[in-house]
Coordinates of all heavy atoms in Angstrom, one line a residue:
I1 N -12.4 4.4 -15.8 CA -11.2 4.1 -14.9 C -10.0 4.6 -15.7 O -9.8 4.2 -16.8 CB -11.1 2.7 -14.5 CG1 -12.3 2.3 -13.7 CG2 -9.8 2.4 -13.8 CD1 -12.3 0.8 -13.3
C2 N -9.2 5.4 -15.0 CA -7.9 5.8 -15.6 C -6.8 5.5 -14.6 O -6.5 6.4 -13.8 CB -8.0 7.3 -15.9 SG -6.6 8.0 -16.7
P3 N -6.2 4.3 -14.7 CA -5.2 4.0 -13.7 C -3.9 4.8 -13.9 O -3.5 5.1 -15.0 CB -5.0 2.5 -13.9 CG -5.4 2.3 -15.4 CD -6.5 3.3 -15.6
L4 N -3.3 5.1 -12.8 CA -2.0 5.8 -12.8 C -0.9 4.8 -12.8 O -1.0 3.7 -12.1 CB -1.9 6.6 -11.5 CG -0.8 7.7 -11.4 CD1 -0.9 8.6 -12.5 CD2 -1.0 8.4 -10.1
Q5 N 0.1 5.0 -13.7 CA 1.2 4.0 -13.9 C 2.0 4.0 -12.6 O 2.3 5.0 -12.0 CB 2.0 4.4 -15.1 CG 1.2 4.4 -16.4 CD 2.0 4.9 -17.5 OE1 3.0 5.5 -17.4 NE2 1.5 4.5 -18.7
L6 N 2.5 2.8 -12.3 CA 3.3 2.6 -11.1 C 4.6 3.4 -11.2 O 5.1 3.9 -10.1 CB 3.6 1.1 -10.8 CG 2.4 0.3 -10.4 CD1 2.9 -1.2 -10.3 CD2 1.9 0.8 -9.1
G7 N 5.2 3.6 -12.3 CA 6.4 4.4 -12.5 C 6.2 5.8 -12.1 O 7.1 6.4 -11.5
T8 N 5.1 6.4 -12.5 CA 4.8 7.8 -12.1 C 4.6 7.9 -10.6 O 5.1 8.8 -10.0 CB 3.5 8.2 -12.8 OG1 3.7 8.1 -14.2 CG2 3.1 9.6 -12.5
I9 N 3.9 6.9 -10.0 CA 3.7 6.9 -8.6 C 5.0 6.8 -7.9 O 5.3 7.5 -6.9 CB 2.7 5.8 -8.2 CG1 1.3 6.0 -8.8 CG2 2.7 5.6 -6.6 CD1 0.4 4.7 -8.7
E10 N 5.9 5.9 -8.3 CA 7.2 5.7 -7.7 C 8.0 7.0 -7.7 O 8.6 7.4 -6.7 CB 8.0 4.6 -8.5 CG 9.3 4.4 -7.9 CD 10.1 3.3 -8.6 OE1 9.6 2.8 -9.6 OE2 11.2 3.0 -8.2
R11 N 8.0 7.7 -8.9 CA 8.8 9.0 -8.9 C 8.2 10.0 -8.0 O 9.0 10.7 -7.3 CB 8.7 9.6 -10.4 CG 9.7 8.8 -11.3 CD 9.9 9.5 -12.6 NE 8.6 9.6 -13.4 CZ 8.1 8.7 -14.2 NH1 8.7 7.6 -14.3 NH2 7.0 8.9 -14.8
C12 N 6.9 10.1 -7.9 CA 6.3 11.1 -7.0 C 6.6 10.8 -5.5 O 6.9 11.7 -4.7 CB 4.8 11.2 -7.2 SG 4.3 11.9 -8.7
I13 N 6.5 9.5 -5.1 CA 6.8 9.2 -3.7 C 8.3 9.4 -3.4 O 8.6 9.9 -2.3 CB 6.4 7.7 -3.5 CG1 4.9 7.6 -3.5 CG2 7.0 7.2 -2.2 CD1 4.4 6.1 -3.4
K14 N 9.2 9.1 -4.3 CA 10.6 9.4 -4.1 C 10.9 10.9 -4.0 O 11.7 11.3 -3.2 CB 11.4 8.8 -5.2 CG 11.6 7.3 -5.1 CD 12.5 6.8 -6.2 CE 12.7 5.3 -6.1 NZ 13.5 4.8 -7.2
L15 N 10.2 11.7 -4.8 CA 10.4 13.1 -4.7 C 9.8 13.8 -3.5 O 10.4 14.8 -3.0 CB 9.8 13.8 -6.0 CG 10.5 13.7 -7.3 CD1 9.7 14.2 -8.4 CD2 11.8 14.5 -7.2
Y16 N 8.7 13.4 -3.0 CA 7.9 14.1 -2.0 C 7.9 13.5 -0.7 O 7.1 13.9 0.2 CB 6.5 14.4 -2.5 CG 6.5 15.3 -3.8 CD1 6.2 14.8 -5.0 CD2 7.0 16.6 -3.7 CE1 6.2 15.6 -6.1 CE2 7.1 17.4 -4.9 CZ 6.7 16.9 -6.1 OH 6.7 17.6 -7.2
S17 N 8.6 12.4 -0.5 CA 8.6 11.7 0.9 C 10.0 11.1 1.1 O 10.7 10.9 0.1 CB 7.5 10.7 1.0 OG 7.7 9.6 0.2
N18 N 10.2 10.8 2.3 CA 11.5 10.1 2.7 C 11.1 8.7 3.3 O 10.1 8.5 3.8 CB 12.2 10.9 3.8 CG 12.7 12.3 3.2 OD1 13.3 12.4 2.2 ND2 12.3 13.3 4.0
P19 N 12.1 7.8 3.2 CA 11.9 6.5 3.8 C 11.5 6.6 5.3 O 12.0 7.5 6.0 CB 13.2 5.8 3.7 CG 13.8 6.4 2.5 CD 13.4 7.9 2.5
G20 N 10.5 5.8 5.7 CA 10.0 5.9 7.0 C 8.8 6.8 7.2 O 8.1 6.7 8.2
E21 N 8.6 7.7 6.3 CA 7.4 8.6 6.4 C 6.1 7.9 6.0 O 6.2 6.9 5.4 CB 7.7 9.9 5.6 CG 8.8 10.8 6.1 CD 8.9 12.1 5.4 OE1 8.5 12.2 4.2 OE2 9.5 13.0 5.9
T22 N 5.0 8.6 6.3 CA 3.7 8.1 5.9 C 3.1 8.8 4.8 O 3.1 10.0 4.7 CB 2.8 8.2 7.1 OG1 3.3 7.5 8.2 CG2 1.4 7.6 6.8
V23 N 2.6 8.0 3.8 CA 2.0 8.6 2.6 C 0.5 8.4 2.8 O 0.0 7.3 3.0 CB 2.5 7.8 1.3 CG1 1.7 8.3 0.1 CG2 4.0 8.0 1.1
L24 N -0.3 9.5 2.6 CA -1.7 9.5 2.7 C -2.3 9.4 1.3 O -1.9 10.2 0.4 CB -2.3 10.7 3.4 CG -3.8 10.9 3.4 CD1 -4.5 9.8 4.2 CD2 -4.2 12.2 3.9
T25 N -3.2 8.5 1.0 CA -3.9 8.4 -0.2 C -5.4 8.4 0.1 O -6.0 7.4 0.4 CB -3.5 7.2 -1.1 OG1 -4.3 7.1 -2.2 CG2 -3.5 5.9 -0.3
P26 N -6.1 9.6 0.0 CA -7.5 9.7 0.5 C -8.5 9.0 -0.5 O -9.6 8.8 -0.1 CB -7.7 11.2 0.6 CG -6.7 11.8 -0.3 CD -5.5 10.9 -0.3
F27 N -8.1 8.7 -1.7 CA -8.9 8.1 -2.7 C -8.1 6.8 -3.2 O -7.6 6.8 -4.3 CB -9.3 9.0 -3.8 CG -9.8 10.3 -3.4 CD1 -9.1 11.4 -3.3 CD2 -11.2 10.3 -3.0 CE1 -9.6 12.6 -2.8 CE2 -11.7 11.5 -2.5 CZ -11.0 12.7 -2.5
M28 N -8.0 5.8 -2.3 CA -7.1 4.7 -2.5 C -7.3 3.9 -3.7 O -6.4 3.3 -4.3 CB -7.1 3.9 -1.2 CG -6.0 2.8 -1.2 SD -5.8 1.9 0.3 CE -7.4 1.3 0.7
G29 N -8.6 3.7 -4.1 CA -8.8 2.8 -5.2 C -8.3 1.4 -4.9 O -8.6 0.8 -3.8
I30 N -7.5 0.8 -5.8 CA -7.0 -0.6 -5.5 C -5.7 -0.6 -4.8 O -5.0 -1.6 -4.6 CB -6.9 -1.4 -6.9 CG1 -5.9 -0.7 -7.8 CG2 -8.2 -1.5 -7.5 CD1 -5.5 -1.6 -9.0
G31 N -5.2 0.6 -4.3 CA -4.1 0.7 -3.5 C -2.7 0.9 -4.2 O -1.7 0.6 -3.6
S32 N -2.7 1.4 -5.4 CA -1.4 1.5 -6.1 C -0.4 2.4 -5.4 O 0.7 2.1 -5.3 CB -1.7 2.1 -7.5 OG -2.5 1.2 -8.2
E33 N -0.9 3.6 -4.8 CA 0.0 4.5 -4.1 C 0.5 3.9 -2.8 O 1.7 3.9 -2.5 CB -0.7 5.8 -3.8 CG -1.0 6.6 -5.1 CD -2.4 6.3 -5.6 OE1 -3.1 5.4 -5.1 OE2 -2.9 7.0 -6.5
A34 N -0.4 3.2 -2.1 CA 0.0 2.6 -0.9 C 1.0 1.4 -1.2 O 2.0 1.2 -0.4 CB -1.2 2.0 -0.1
Y35 N 0.7 0.7 -2.2 CA 1.6 -0.5 -2.6 C 3.0 0.0 -2.9 O 4.0 -0.5 -2.4 CB 1.0 -1.1 -3.9 CG 1.8 -2.2 -4.4 CD1 1.6 -3.6 -4.0 CD2 2.8 -2.0 -5.4 CE1 2.3 -4.6 -4.6 CE2 3.6 -3.0 -5.9 CZ 3.3 -4.3 -5.5 OH 4.1 -5.4 -6.0
M36 N 3.1 1.1 -3.7 CA 4.4 1.6 -4.0 C 5.1 2.3 -2.8 O 6.3 2.2 -2.7 CB 4.3 2.6 -5.2 CG 5.6 3.0 -5.8 SD 6.6 1.6 -6.4 CE 5.7 1.0 -7.7
A37 N 4.3 2.9 -1.9 CA 4.9 3.5 -0.7 C 5.6 2.4 0.1 O 6.7 2.6 0.6 CB 3.8 4.2 0.1
V38 N 4.9 1.3 0.4 CA 5.4 0.2 1.2 C 6.6 -0.4 0.5 O 7.6 -0.6 1.1 CB 4.3 -0.8 1.4 CG1 4.9 -2.1 2.0 CG2 3.2 -0.3 2.3
K39 N 6.5 -0.5 -0.8 CA 7.7 -1.1 -1.6 C 8.9 -0.2 -1.4 O 10.0 -0.7 -1.4 CB 7.3 -1.2 -3.1 CG 8.3 -1.8 -3.9 CD 7.9 -2.1 -5.3 CE 9.0 -2.7 -6.1 NZ 8.5 -2.9 -7.5
L40 N 8.7 1.1 -1.3 CA 9.8 2.1 -1.2 C 10.2 2.4 0.2 O 11.0 3.3 0.5 CB 9.5 3.4 -2.0 CG 9.3 3.2 -3.5 CD1 8.8 4.5 -4.1 CD2 10.6 2.8 -4.1
G41 N 9.7 1.6 1.2 CA 10.1 1.8 2.6 C 9.3 2.9 3.3 O 9.8 3.4 4.3
R42 N 8.2 3.3 2.8 CA 7.3 4.2 3.6 C 6.2 3.4 4.2 O 5.9 2.3 3.9 CB 6.8 5.3 2.6 CG 7.7 6.4 2.2 CD 8.7 6.0 1.2 NE 9.4 7.2 0.7 CZ 10.5 7.1 0.0 NH1 11.1 5.9 -0.1 NH2 11.1 8.2 -0.4
R43 N 5.4 4.1 5.0 CA 4.1 3.6 5.5 C 3.0 4.3 4.7 O 3.3 5.3 4.0 CB 4.0 3.9 7.0 CG 4.9 3.2 7.9 CD 4.8 3.6 9.3 NE 5.0 5.0 9.4 CZ 5.9 5.6 10.2 NH1 6.6 4.8 11.0 NH2 6.1 6.9 10.2
A44 N 1.8 3.7 4.7 CA 0.7 4.3 3.9 C -0.6 4.2 4.7 O -0.8 3.3 5.4 CB 0.6 3.6 2.6
V45 N -1.4 5.2 4.5 CA -2.7 5.3 5.0 C -3.6 5.5 3.8 O -3.4 6.5 3.1 CB -2.9 6.4 6.1 CG1 -4.4 6.5 6.5 CG2 -2.0 6.1 7.3
G46 N -4.6 4.7 3.6 CA -5.5 4.9 2.5 C -7.0 4.8 2.9 O -7.3 4.2 3.9
I47 N -7.8 5.6 2.2 CA -9.2 5.6 2.4 C -9.9 5.3 1.1 O -9.6 5.9 0.1 CB -9.6 7.1 2.9 CG1 -8.8 7.4 4.2 CG2 -11.1 7.1 3.1 CD1 -8.8 8.9 4.5
E48 N -10.9 4.3 1.2 CA -11.6 3.9 0.0 C -13.0 3.6 0.5 O -13.2 2.8 1.4 CB -10.9 2.8 -0.7 CG -11.7 2.2 -1.9 CD -12.0 3.3 -2.9 OE1 -11.0 4.0 -3.3 OE2 -13.2 3.5 -3.3
L49 N -14.0 4.1 -0.2 CA -15.4 3.8 0.1 C -16.0 2.6 -0.6 O -16.8 1.9 0.0 CB -16.3 5.0 -0.3 CG -16.0 6.3 0.5 CD1 -16.8 7.5 -0.1 CD2 -16.3 6.1 2.0
K50 N -15.5 2.3 -1.8 CA -16.0 1.1 -2.5 C -15.4 -0.2 -2.0 O -14.2 -0.4 -2.1 CB -15.7 1.3 -4.0 CG -16.4 0.3 -4.9 CD -16.3 0.6 -6.4 CE -17.0 -0.4 -7.2 NZ -16.9 -0.1 -8.6
P51 N -16.3 -1.1 -1.4 CA -15.8 -2.3 -0.8 C -15.0 -3.2 -1.7 O -13.9 -3.7 -1.3 CB -17.1 -3.0 -0.3 CG -18.1 -1.9 -0.2 CD -17.7 -0.9 -1.2
S52 N -15.3 -3.3 -3.0 CA -14.6 -4.2 -3.9 C -13.2 -3.6 -4.2 O -12.2 -4.4 -4.3 CB -15.3 -4.4 -5.2 OG -15.5 -3.1 -5.9
Y53 N -13.0 -2.3 -4.3 CA -11.7 -1.7 -4.4 C -10.9 -1.9 -3.2 O -9.7 -2.2 -3.2 CB -11.8 -0.2 -4.8 CG -12.2 0.1 -6.2 CD1 -12.5 -0.9 -7.1 CD2 -12.2 1.4 -6.6 CE1 -12.9 -0.6 -8.4 CE2 -12.6 1.8 -7.9 CZ -12.9 0.7 -8.8 OH -13.3 1.1 -10.1
F54 N -11.5 -1.7 -2.0 CA -10.8 -1.8 -0.8 C -10.3 -3.2 -0.6 O -9.2 -3.4 -0.2 CB -11.7 -1.4 0.4 CG -11.1 -1.6 1.7 CD1 -10.2 -0.7 2.2 CD2 -11.3 -2.8 2.5 CE1 -9.6 -0.9 3.5 CE2 -10.7 -2.9 3.7 CZ -9.9 -2.0 4.2
D55 N -11.1 -4.2 -0.9 CA -10.7 -5.6 -0.8 C -9.5 -5.9 -1.7 O -8.6 -6.6 -1.3 CB -11.9 -6.6 -1.1 CG -13.0 -6.5 -0.1 OD1 -12.8 -6.0 1.1 OD2 -14.1 -6.9 -0.4
L56 N -9.5 -5.4 -2.9 CA -8.4 -5.6 -3.8 C -7.2 -4.9 -3.3 O -6.1 -5.4 -3.4 CB -8.8 -5.1 -5.2 CG -7.8 -5.4 -6.3 CD1 -7.4 -6.9 -6.3 CD2 -8.3 -4.9 -7.6
A57 N -7.3 -3.7 -2.7 CA -6.2 -3.0 -2.1 C -5.6 -3.8 -1.0 O -4.3 -3.9 -0.9 CB -6.6 -1.6 -1.7
V58 N -6.4 -4.3 -0.1 CA -5.9 -5.2 1.0 C -5.1 -6.3 0.4 O -4.0 -6.6 0.9 CB -7.1 -5.6 1.9 CG1 -6.6 -6.7 2.9 CG2 -7.7 -4.5 2.6
R59 N -5.6 -7.0 -0.6 CA -4.9 -8.1 -1.2 C -3.5 -7.7 -1.8 O -2.5 -8.3 -1.6 CB -5.7 -8.8 -2.2 CG -6.8 -9.7 -1.6 CD -7.4 -10.6 -2.7 NE -8.0 -9.9 -3.8 CZ -9.3 -9.7 -4.0 NH1 -10.1 -10.3 -3.2 NH2 -9.7 -9.0 -5.0
N60 N -3.5 -6.5 -2.5 CA -2.3 -6.0 -3.0 C -1.3 -5.7 -1.9 O -0.1 -6.0 -2.1 CB -2.6 -4.8 -3.9 CG -3.3 -5.1 -5.2 OD1 -3.3 -6.2 -5.6 ND2 -4.0 -4.1 -5.7
L61 N -1.7 -5.1 -0.9 CA -0.8 -4.8 0.2 C -0.3 -6.0 1.0 O 0.8 -6.0 1.4 CB -1.5 -3.8 1.2 CG -1.7 -2.4 0.5 CD1 -2.6 -1.5 1.4 CD2 -0.4 -1.7 0.3
Q62 N -1.2 -7.0 1.1 CA -0.7 -8.2 1.7 C 0.4 -8.9 0.9 O 1.3 -9.4 1.4 CB -1.9 -9.2 1.9 CG -2.8 -8.8 3.0 CD -4.1 -9.7 3.1 OE1 -4.5 -10.2 2.0 NE2 -4.6 -9.9 4.3
N63 N 0.2 -8.8 -0.5 CA 1.2 -9.4 -1.4 C 2.6 -8.7 -1.2 O 3.6 -9.3 -1.2 CB 0.7 -9.3 -2.8 CG -0.4 -10.3 -3.1 OD1 -0.6 -11.3 -2.3 ND2 -1.2 -10.1 -4.1
I64 N 2.6 -7.3 -1.2 CA 3.8 -6.6 -1.1 C 4.4 -6.9 0.3 O 5.7 -7.0 0.4 CB 3.7 -5.1 -1.4 CG1 5.1 -4.5 -1.6 CG2 2.9 -4.4 -0.4 CD1 5.9 -4.9 -2.7
E65 N 3.6 -6.9 1.3 CA 4.2 -7.1 2.7 C 4.8 -8.5 2.7 O 5.9 -8.7 3.3 CB 3.0 -7.0 3.7 CG 3.5 -7.1 5.1 CD 4.3 -5.8 5.5 OE1 4.2 -4.8 4.9 OE2 5.0 -5.9 6.5
A66 N 4.1 -9.5 2.2 CA 4.7 -10.9 2.2 C 6.0 -11.0 1.4 O 6.9 -11.7 1.8 CB 3.6 -11.9 1.7
S67 N 6.0 -10.3 0.3 CA 7.2 -10.4 -0.5 C 8.4 -9.7 0.1 O 9.6 -10.0 -0.1 CB 7.0 -9.7 -1.9 OG 6.9 -8.3 -1.8
K68 N 8.2 -8.7 1.0 CA 9.2 -8.0 1.7 C 9.7 -8.7 2.9 O 10.9 -8.6 3.2 CB 8.8 -6.5 2.1 CG 8.6 -5.6 0.9 CD 8.2 -4.2 1.3 CE 9.3 -3.5 2.1 NZ 10.3 -2.8 1.4
T69 N 8.8 -9.3 3.6 CA 9.2 -9.9 4.9 C 9.1 -11.4 5.0 O 9.5 -12.1 5.9 CB 8.3 -9.4 6.1 OG1 7.0 -9.7 5.8 CG2 8.5 -7.8 6.2
G70 N 8.4 -12.0 4.0 CA 8.1 -13.4 4.1 C 6.9 -13.8 4.8 O 6.4 -14.9 4.7
V71 N 6.3 -12.9 5.6 CA 5.0 -13.1 6.2 C 4.2 -11.8 6.0 O 4.8 -10.7 5.9 CB 5.1 -13.4 7.7 CG1 5.8 -14.7 8.0 CG2 5.8 -12.2 8.5
D72 N 2.9 -11.9 6.0 CA 2.1 -10.7 5.9 C 1.7 -10.2 7.3 O 1.9 -10.8 8.3 CB 0.9 -10.9 5.0 CG -0.1 -11.9 5.5 OD1 -0.3 -11.9 6.8 OD2 -0.7 -12.5 4.7
L73 N 1.2 -8.9 7.3 CA 0.9 -8.3 8.6 C -0.1 -9.1 9.4 O 0.0 -9.2 10.6 CB 0.3 -6.9 8.3 CG -0.2 -6.1 9.4 CD1 1.0 -5.8 10.4 CD2 -0.8 -4.8 9.0
F74 N -1.1 -9.7 8.7 CA -2.2 -10.4 9.4 C -1.7 -11.7 10.0 O -2.1 -12.1 11.1 CB -3.4 -10.6 8.5 CG -3.9 -9.3 8.0 CD1 -3.6 -8.9 6.7 CD2 -4.6 -8.4 8.8 CE1 -4.0 -7.6 6.2 CE2 -5.1 -7.2 8.3 CZ -4.8 -6.8 7.0
T75 N -0.8 -12.4 9.3 CA -0.2 -13.6 9.8 C 0.6 -13.3 11.0 O 0.6 -14.0 12.1 CB 0.6 -14.3 8.8 OG1 -0.2 -14.6 7.6 CG2 1.2 -15.6 9.3
W76 N 1.4 -12.2 11.0 CA 2.3 -11.8 12.1 C 1.4 -11.5 13.3 O 1.8 -11.9 14.4 CB 3.1 -10.6 11.7 CG 4.0 -10.1 12.7 CD1 5.2 -10.7 13.1 CD2 3.8 -9.1 13.6 NE1 5.8 -10.0 14.1 CE2 4.9 -9.0 14.5 CE3 2.7 -8.2 13.8 CZ2 5.0 -8.0 15.5 CZ3 2.8 -7.2 14.8 CH2 3.9 -7.1 15.7
Q77 N 0.3 -10.8 13.1 CA -0.5 -10.4 14.2 C -1.1 -11.7 14.9 O -1.2 -11.7 16.1 CB -1.7 -9.5 13.8 CG -1.2 -8.1 13.6 CD -2.4 -7.2 13.1 OE1 -3.3 -7.7 12.6 NE2 -2.2 -5.9 13.3
Q78 N -1.5 -12.6 14.1 CA -2.0 -13.9 14.7 C -1.0 -14.6 15.5 O -1.3 -15.2 16.5 CB -2.6 -14.8 13.5 CG -3.9 -14.3 12.9 CD -4.3 -15.1 11.7 OE1 -3.5 -15.9 11.2 NE2 -5.4 -14.8 11.2
A79 N 0.2 -14.6 15.0 CA 1.3 -15.3 15.7 C 1.7 -14.6 17.0 O 2.0 -15.3 18.0 CB 2.6 -15.4 14.8
Q80 N 1.6 -13.3 17.0 CA 1.8 -12.5 18.2 C 0.8 -12.8 19.3 O 1.1 -12.8 20.5 CB 1.9 -11.1 17.9 CG 3.1 -10.7 17.0 CD 4.4 -11.0 17.6 OE1 4.7 -10.8 18.8 NE2 5.3 -11.6 16.8
A81 N -0.5 -13.0 18.8 CA -1.6 -13.2 19.8 C -1.5 -14.6 20.5 O -2.0 -14.8 21.5 CB -2.9 -13.1 19.1
E82 N -0.8 -15.6 19.8 CA -0.8 -16.9 20.4 C 0.3 -17.1 21.4 O 1.1 -16.4 21.8 CB -0.5 -17.9 19.2 CG -1.6 -18.0 18.2 CD -1.3 -18.8 17.0 OE1 -0.1 -19.2 16.9 OE2 -2.2 -19.1 16.2

């Protein structure tokens, strides 16, 4: 495993995308690129085949979503359904 540093990911996202755009990460892993994209005001689409990596990516994205809005995406969806 060779993890990419968040600082490097942040610089790339700032250079090659604008706020509100969507960042595609076809080999998502634990979701570092998607995490940083959401943190910087972008949307993200990620693809990961390994279930354990995908589960960790979902947890990481739930954490960043909750820290930005106070509620996570899944809690919001449940509240909207009620």
Side-chain angles (χ1 to χ4, degrees):
I1 295 177
C2 183
L4 193 54
Q5 297 174 344
L6 290 177
T8 302
I9 296 168
E10 179 179 5
R11 285 192 297 277
C12 289
I13 290 174
K14 284 181 176 178
L15 279 172
Y16 298 112
S17 69
N18 296 310
E21 291 185 338
T22 301
V23 174
L24 172 65
T25 175
F27 307 100
M28 185 169 58
I30 63 168
S32 301
E33 294 91 354
Y35 178 92
M36 192 54 67
V38 171
K39 184 175 180 180
L40 295 172
R42 280 78 167 163
R43 292 177 299 236
V45 174
I47 301 164
E48 178 54 52
L49 296 176
K50 189 171 182 180
S52 62
Y53 283 5
F54 178 79
D55 293 340
L56 187 53
V58 168
R59 282 194 301 254
N60 290 336
L61 291 168
Q62 286 173 331
N63 289 338
I64 190 67
E65 187 71 20
S67 72
K68 289 180 67 86
T69 63
V71 297
D72 65 34
L73 178 63
F74 302 102
T75 304
W76 181 81
Q77 285 179 337
Q78 289 172 351
Q80 295 299 317
E82 294 175 350

